[in-house]
Amino acid sequence: TKLVYMFDEGKRDMKETLGGKGANLAEMTRIGLPVPFGFTISTQACNTYYDSNRKITGELKEQVLSSLKQLEETTGKKLGDPGHPLLVSVRSGAVFSMPGMMDTVLNLGMNDDTVEAMAKLTNNARFAYDSYRRFIQMFSDVVLEVDVYFFEQHLEEVRERKGYTSDPEMTAEDWKEVITGYKNIVKKHTKRTFPEDPKEQLFLAIQSVFDSWNNQRAIIYRRLNKIPGHLGTAVNIQSMVFGNMGDDSGTGVAFTRDPSTGESILYGEYLINAQGEDVVAGIRTPQPIQTLQNDMPDVFQQFIDTCKRLESHYGDMQDIEFTVERGNLFILQTRNGKRTAQAAIRMAVEMEREGIISKTEALLRVDPDQLNQLLHQRIDDSYEFTRLVKGLPASPGAATGHVVFDSDDAEALSQEGKKVILVRPETTPDDIHGIVSAEAIVTSRGGMTSHAAVVARGMGKACICGCDGLKIDLKNKQFRVGDTVVNYLDRITIDGGTGEIMLGDIPMIAPELSEEFQTLLQWADEKRTLGVRTNADTPEDAKKALEFGAGGIGLCRTEHMFMDATRIPIVRDMILAENLDERMAALEKLLPMQQGDFTEIFEAMNGHPVTVRLLDPPLHEFLPDKEELIVDVTKLQITNPSSHELKEKEQLLKKVRQLDEFNPMLGHRGCRLGMVYPEIYMMQAKAIFYAAADLLNKGLVMEPEVMIPLVGHVNELKAMRQVVEEAADQIEQETGKKINYTVGTMIEIPRAALTADEIATEADFFSFGTNDLTQTTFGFSRDDAESKFLQHYIEQNTLPENPFMVLDQEGVGKLVETGVKLGRETKPSLKTGICGEHGGEKSSIEFCFEKGLDYVSCSPYRVPLARLAAAQATI
Ligand code: PEP
Ligand code: MG
């Protein structure tokens, strides 16, 4: 089998074989861009390596050697040749980009002989020995696993001894001294001499790239980004070009559009006289790309042209790495650039307008999950607050949290439920767990393309970089800005859109949608056939959802109206009632309140449909906690045994004990309440119809959809439907208004889904309550499973996802499908929707579309996501 491909043998659609980087290097070679030549070892070779107990097979070895020969012939240089030495980089390149997660070795091929050749050829001994020591350091770190700390310490020592303050003062002789020291370090820590044979170096480096596919941070990154572990990484071996050959050389990274805002301007940075890793590592703060025009006008023009060409060739924003070696431009990498949600939307809409992509492609360019970022709060400028310091606005969004200085702390505290802001001099791929856990990231060094910035943008987290006004003292866990000291766990607020850091908590305001966002969602609405409604039970939520484009309310839960502080006493009277008369008296007081609630919500929805669900939770939820009551009663028995308060609490406790159930979620709730206390549902139904009649008087038509929860048997629905009809008849007679309404049911018990044909005889619509349906199908308590064992299940891959977040299509989904099918056998026009949390999750939305549901209903802030996901489902 062919395991190795020269760059001129591949093309862009060979990602699976060549990895993303390899495929793009091949494509750029194919279209004639200046790419240093090389070859790619395929992902299959990586998998074979693992299948052969982490051994490089003879077959692979042979192919690598023959490709190397071709590379040597093309470049006219030879690996290890003391006359014309070839130096190469060895880099990973997975199918899906995993920036910085795997290993890279540069300058491979250097040894005591080739370094001299380099010195002669470049006429620059200082450069040659500096490169050699960099190579020893990198190779030892990555391949031989000797901690860089030892090398840094040694370098520091030499520098100090010579009385220098910075590296550029070091001479070739000084570097030679450092190299001798480096080799001793290697010998001490690995019990062997540094490998000088370039071919041995090459195979060791290849092996270490393969191994890095399974290092800790790569595994975490794959888990976060749902990249399968069996794909393997390719390895790219490319002849080196040098950005550190003097002031006519340099290296940089650029995006063809601003990855933070999406604006169509070249966005990037570079360093003169530096190697690629210097930019990404964020150690020196680079120059903005625009000044390259002054430094190297010809190269700048050539680079601009190349960027335009690459962007239109790939039809997407590109993230490009380049190096200039003695005035010659080389492109080392291109890939579709990571971007914030805001940028993704703006680019998609503008590229459609520029004719680069179609509307359909534009819709696919934005990941619905990313939209969350945009619907988040930002700092309220109308308040006065002092800005402490300003850095680079690397990723937009605002956040408040406790300051932490390392990633382990960030992780530990966030697991305790604390919101933290990770403050670091710079981040490396080893900080990935800290970045994941933090609300936001701040670094004192590094530019807009530094590790922290790239990763944060990808995750949609606020980030400020290169904030050099911030003096971090890691040892004492504090940072200082002028005279202000901020300690570990102090609270700060950051604004990633402006780069500003403030002390303490700053008020935030709700987001609004940009013009491009609105446009994209309009395109989504033109494309989608699935309705999008919202779950809302206050007029504020209803208005918010309408603003976000909801077509109606799919679930108005009425229990929150019962929880209102002013109503709880009346609700308690209703529960404590000893007989029907007492209960009726309490219900009579609740009726006008409920009516008011519905009037406000119906008005807010301005003619859009509203599904109101009758009372669902077990009644004990409206009473105080049992344990607390026992404590209160015991105290009162001692301190005030004859008080009225004690009597009241004792009575309450008695009722709480009566209502106590072993499994309240499987207990006396949902329609089972209506069955035993039809007067409660009757009151609610009347309130709904009074409100609708009231609206009719004002000239607004509202046709309420009354929904009965937790039905398992058709007879339950039949009985509850009669209650609703009776209420409707009464109100019609009383008000003289004819109100059109429908009665439907939630499907959230497996039996209801399995007998949906019978249930449909009594239902005008079905709404799948997939929260309860997941609970009852798996038999997982929705209140306990996640904290007790579900996490374990997911980590062990027993379940691919948390089924309370992502619909379990094979199990719960089968019941949904069955319910729809059986229901429509009875009533072809039966309206069906989903209103569990899954109604706002993209893969579940796609499933609902495929199974022919009419709508999904989700929380207001998820409505935009649902509109886009529903459009993508049709593509
Ligand atoms: C459901 O069970 O999916 C549902 C929407 O109802 P609730 O979450 O209120 O039980
Ligand atoms: Mg439910």
Side-chain angles (χ1 to χ4, degrees), residues 316-342:
D316 198 356
M317 185 266 273
Q318 294 298 295
D319 167 358
I320 301 168
E321 280 178 28
F322 67 96
T323 284
V324 183
E325 184 186 88
R326 295 192 162 157
N328 293 310
L329 175 71
F330 292 95
I331 307 297
L332 300 187
Q333 165 159 320
T334 192
R335 59 184 171 199
N336 294 340
K338 294 212 182 295
R339 61 204 75 182
T340 64
Q342 186 190 343

Side-chain angles (χ1 to χ4, degrees), residues 555 557 613 616 669 746 748 769-772 782 835-836:
L555 173 64
R557 294 178 168 105
R613 179 182 73 185
D616 181 52
R669 54 171 287 222
M746 295 191 72
E748 42 189 351
T770 44
N771 302 333
D772 274 310
R782 58 192 269 198
C835 64

Side-chain angles (χ1 to χ4, degrees), residues 388-638:
L388 183 62
V389 64
K390 198 168 169 175
L392 302 170
S395 180
T400 297
H402 300 280
V403 172
V404 297
F405 293 95
D406 82 56
S407 290
D408 293 344
D409 283 347
E411 186 176 56
L413 287 168
S414 87
Q415 276 167 1
E416 289 170 20
K418 283 209 171 66
K419 293 190 188 312
V420 300
I421 294 181
L422 179 64
V423 178
R424 297 280 308 158
E426 69 226 358
T427 66
T428 72
D430 285 330
D431 287 310
I432 187 90
H433 60 297
I435 297 177
V436 171
S437 312
E439 298 297 302
I441 297 92
V442 175
T443 68
S444 57
R445 280 187 291 208
M448 304 281 274
T449 53
S450 66
H451 178 264
V454 171
V455 175
R457 275 199 296 272
M459 292 183 188
K461 298 213 174 198
C463 177
I464 296 175
C465 278
C467 187
D468 50 17
L470 206 84
K471 305 298 172 212
I472 302 179
D473 178 353
L474 289 177
K475 219 171 91 206
N476 294 310
K477 291 198 177 184
Q478 54 181 215
F479 72 75
R480 196 178 281 277
V481 179
D483 293 336
T484 312
V485 177
V486 175
N487 289 300
Y488 176 63
L489 294 187
D490 283 357
R491 286 178 74 81
I492 59 169
T493 297
I494 77 143
D495 183 342
T498 60
E500 290 166 336
I501 303 177
M502 280 73 59
L503 288 177
D505 295 25
I506 310 283
M508 309 261 182
I509 40 172
E512 45 215 65
L513 308 189
S514 70
E515 184 257 325
E516 290 92 2
F517 196 177
Q518 304 275 19
T519 304
L520 191 80
L521 288 177
Q522 250 162 31
W523 295 348
D525 291 346
E526 287 161 20
K527 196 106 202 160
R528 72 184 162 94
T529 51
L530 191 64
V532 175
R533 291 195 184 190
T534 191
N535 297 353
D537 39 53
T538 64
E540 294 74 41
D541 280 359
K543 278 183 201 135
K544 187 97 250 162
L546 271 188
E547 223 175 87
F548 286 155
I553 291 181
L555 173 64
C556 175
R557 294 178 168 105
T558 51
E559 50 267 24
H560 297 136
M561 305 170 184
F562 278 53
M563 302 274 186
D564 187 291
T566 58
R567 301 184 192 176
I568 273 284
I570 310 170
V571 173
R572 287 195 182 156
D573 285 347
M574 173 192 95
I575 297 171
L576 295 174
E578 298 284 351
N579 52 50
L580 186 61
D581 284 348
E582 276 181 35
R583 195 169 312 110
M584 292 302 284
L587 286 170
E588 222 139 278
K589 286 190 209 157
L590 284 175
L591 178 83
M593 298 176 176
Q594 282 261 280
Q595 184 187 333
D597 296 330
F598 295 132
T599 306
E600 280 185 42
I601 289 175
F602 291 170
E603 275 175 353
M605 289 308 286
N606 199 19
H608 292 85
V610 178
T611 304
V612 181
R613 179 182 73 185
L614 304 187
L615 196 64
D616 181 52
L619 293 180
H620 75 84
E621 288 194 10
F622 302 105
L623 298 183
D625 178 69
K626 186 168 78 178
E627 310 295 326
E628 279 170 26
L629 259 184
I630 291 174
V631 172
D632 285 358
V633 165
T634 316
K635 271 192 196 152
L636 282 169
Q637 277 167 347
I638 297 163

Side-chain angles (χ1 to χ4, degrees), residues 181-471:
Y182 275 12
K183 285 191 183 165
N184 288 335
I185 292 172
V186 172
K187 200 156 187 186
K188 184 163 158 218
H189 288 273
T190 65
K191 311 276 176 267
R192 48 174 289 189
T193 53
F194 184 80
E196 294 224 17
D197 172 4
K199 285 196 179 130
E200 187 188 352
Q201 291 172 357
L202 180 63
F203 284 105
L204 283 172
I206 292 170
Q207 196 161 354
S208 123
V209 172
F210 283 159
D211 286 339
S212 71
W213 174 252
N214 278 324
N215 69 27
Q216 200 56 34
R217 58 189 198 223
I219 291 172
I220 295 178
Y221 188 92
R222 284 204 292 274
R223 195 183 308 147
L224 277 174
N225 291 282
K226 305 205 164 64
I227 298 173
H230 64 80
L231 293 175
T233 181
V235 186
N236 297 293
I237 289 142
Q238 187 173 26
S239 52
M240 287 290 303
V241 284
F242 294 92
N244 52 349
M245 277 200 163
D247 287 344
D248 56 354
S249 304
T251 187
V253 183
F255 295 86
T256 54
R257 297 183 189 222
D258 186 329
S260 207
T261 65
E263 191 185 350
S264 183
I265 46 158
L266 191 63
Y267 177 95
E269 39 198 23
Y270 69 102
L271 281 169
I272 289 288
N273 199 9
Q275 258 190 334
E277 302 315 282
D278 299 340
V279 182
V280 190
I283 294 172
R284 275 164 66 189
T285 301
Q287 298 279 106
I289 192 85
Q290 274 70 23
T291 65
L292 187 64
Q293 186 155 28
N294 310 328
D295 286 343
M296 302 177 186
D298 292 349
V299 169
F300 183 71
Q301 194 50 49
Q302 197 193 342
F303 183 61
I304 297 263
D305 295 344
T306 308
C307 286
K308 287 207 178 112
R309 179 147 178 226
L310 280 172
E311 183 177 285
S312 70
H313 187 74
Y314 283 95
D316 198 356
M317 185 266 273
Q318 294 298 295
D319 167 358
I320 301 168
E321 280 178 28
F322 67 96
T323 284
V324 183
E325 184 186 88
R326 295 192 162 157
N328 293 310
L329 175 71
F330 292 95
I331 307 297
L332 300 187
Q333 165 159 320
T334 192
R335 59 184 171 199
N336 294 340
K338 294 212 182 295
R339 61 204 75 182
T340 64
Q342 186 190 343
I345 291 168
R346 179 161 174 187
M347 285 175 201
V349 171
E350 289 185 352
M351 284 188 191
E352 193 275 343
R353 287 179 181 152
E354 290 163 28
I356 300 176
I357 55 175
S358 67
K359 272 189 193 169
T360 304
E361 278 173 293
L363 284 168
L364 290 174
R365 279 292 158 82
V366 181
D367 179 351
D369 285 340
Q370 268 190 315
L371 297 185
N372 235 339
Q373 290 179 35
L374 292 185
L375 303 172
H376 280 148
Q377 53 185 13
R378 59 191 171 78
I379 284 173
D380 187 346
D381 291 323
S382 63
Y383 282 83
E384 281 284 315
F385 51 84
T386 6
R387 292 154 177 86
L388 183 62
V389 64
K390 198 168 169 175
L392 302 170
S395 180
T400 297
H402 300 280
V403 172
V404 297
F405 293 95
D406 82 56
S407 290
D408 293 344
D409 283 347
E411 186 176 56
L413 287 168
S414 87
Q415 276 167 1
E416 289 170 20
K418 283 209 171 66
K419 293 190 188 312
V420 300
I421 294 181
L422 179 64
V423 178
R424 297 280 308 158
E426 69 226 358
T427 66
T428 72
D430 285 330
D431 287 310
I432 187 90
H433 60 297
I435 297 177
V436 171
S437 312
E439 298 297 302
I441 297 92
V442 175
T443 68
S444 57
R445 280 187 291 208
M448 304 281 274
T449 53
S450 66
H451 178 264
V454 171
V455 175
R457 275 199 296 272
M459 292 183 188
K461 298 213 174 198
C463 177
I464 296 175
C465 278
C467 187
D468 50 17
L470 206 84
K471 305 298 172 212

